[in-house]
Amino acid sequence: MANYKKVSVGEEPRTELHDELGLTGAEISINCLPAGACVPFVHSHKQNEEIYAILDGYGKAVIDGEEVELKAGDWLRISPAAKRQFFAAADSAIKYACIQVKENSLEGYTATDAVM
């Protein structure tokens, strides 16, 4: 059995990678909203912070009532308790990755966790 797994993601509206990659410490999804669309609900989390990477296009997030403009290349971290919703711009789709991990769970960084 290999110590890695590789998958390719297409243009589906949402791809959750926990099953496809056998993830055990994070949840990662790739999300595509067409121009003018939005995530149809506001949500928060009990324990997990979310890290968003804007991969393509632009739009906005509304976080605790504050509008945050987003464009390709932006990264955003949101605390578990914050209420959030994402929107594509009227004239642009937006594609983003969402990485979800338990807040305060990181015990080491690359350099301290690496075995040389």
Side-chain angles (χ1 to χ4, degrees), residues 5 7-8 21 24 27-28 30 32 40 52 58-59 66 75 83 86-87 96 102 105-107 112:
K5 187 163 185 186
V7 297
S8 293
L21 291 174
T24 63
E27 167 62 270
I28 302 172
I30 307 299
C32 301
Y52 291 89
Y58 58 96
E66 181 180 341
W75 286 80
K83 291 179 173 42
F86 285 79
F87 299 80
Y96 58 91
K102 186 176 179 182
S105 65
L106 187 61
E107 295 179 0
T112 59

Side-chain angles (χ1 to χ4, degrees), residues 44-60:
S44 61
H45 287 277
K46 296 174 186 172
Q47 300 180 46
N48 295 341
E49 65 186 7
E50 291 181 321
I51 302 98
Y52 291 89
I54 309 307
L55 305 172
D56 194 33
Y58 58 96
K60 70 179 179 182

Side-chain angles (χ1 to χ4, degrees), residues 2-30:
N3 285 326
Y4 67 90
K5 187 163 185 186
K6 176 184 169 185
V7 297
S8 293
V9 175
E11 294 298 319
E12 296 84 8
R14 181 174 172 89
T15 303
E16 294 183 2
L17 296 173
H18 59 270
D19 289 334
E20 290 85 349
L21 291 174
L23 300 176
T24 63
E27 167 62 270
I28 302 172
S29 63
I30 307 299

Side-chain angles (χ1 to χ4, degrees), residues 21-113:
L21 291 174
L23 300 176
T24 63
E27 167 62 270
I28 302 172
S29 63
I30 307 299
N31 304 272
C32 301
L33 292 174
C38 70
V39 173
F41 53 86
V42 176
H43 77 286
S44 61
H45 287 277
K46 296 174 186 172
Q47 300 180 46
N48 295 341
E49 65 186 7
E50 291 181 321
I51 302 98
Y52 291 89
I54 309 307
L55 305 172
D56 194 33
Y58 58 96
K60 70 179 179 182
V62 177
I63 305 166
D64 290 337
E66 181 180 341
E67 288 190 13
V68 179
E69 297 297 320
L70 300 170
K71 65 182 182 327
D74 288 347
W75 286 80
L76 175 67
R77 182 237 178 223
I78 304 178
S79 297
K83 291 179 173 42
R84 71 217 60 179
Q85 186 177 20
F86 285 79
F87 299 80
D91 61 346
S92 174
I94 189 169
K95 183 175 185 177
Y96 58 91
C98 177
I99 304 161
Q100 193 177 134
V101 295
K102 186 176 179 182
E103 186 177 47
N104 298 314
S105 65
L106 187 61
E107 295 179 0
Y109 296 89
T110 302
T112 59
D113 187 56

